[in-house]
Amino acid sequence: MAVIGASASPIKSIQRGSTSVTPSGSATVTINAVDLDKSFVSANTKTGYISSGTGGPGNENGVTLSSSTSLQFYGGVTYYSSGTAPATTYWEVIEYV
């Protein structure tokens, strides 16, 4: 929605990428420095592994903006014996002015 009289975007920067994490694994990605008080990370997992067992879902990936220059990714626990494929998480970090 446009704001009348606004001449500049409220977004300072957007960084995007993708990262693969194996079940129960982790990964760290370095990003350009952002102000943690004015930034957030959005992520979506498209591929990976699923569970048909009774232990619950096998793809419980997560990502946190762990510092001003890094993202920490966590691979979910898989309960299905053949569920060892890495899951790819597509992410973006948005920093506001």
Side-chain angles (χ1 to χ4, degrees):
M1 178 165 104
V3 177
I4 297 173
S7 60
S9 171
I11 296 175
K12 181 177 180 181
S13 68
I14 299 176
Q15 301 177 61
R16 293 185 175 104
S18 63
T19 303
S20 293
V21 182
T22 58
S24 300
S26 65
T28 302
V29 171
T30 301
I31 60 171
N32 294 327
V34 295
D35 182 338
L36 292 175
D37 292 330
K38 298 179 180 181
S39 305
F40 74 95
V41 61
S42 174
N44 182 28
T45 301
K46 181 179 178 185
T47 60
Y49 44 89
I50 59 171
S51 171
S52 62
T54 59
N59 192 352
E60 299 171 350
N61 290 354
V63 59
T64 60
L65 187 54
S66 55
S67 76
S68 64
T69 59
S70 66
L71 297 174
Q72 183 69 45
F73 293 82
Y74 304 93
V77 176
T78 184
Y79 301 96
Y80 185 55
S81 61
S82 62
T84 58
T88 302
T89 301
Y90 301 89
W91 56 267
E92 66 180 4
V93 176
I94 299 174
E95 179 181 21
Y96 290 95
V97 187

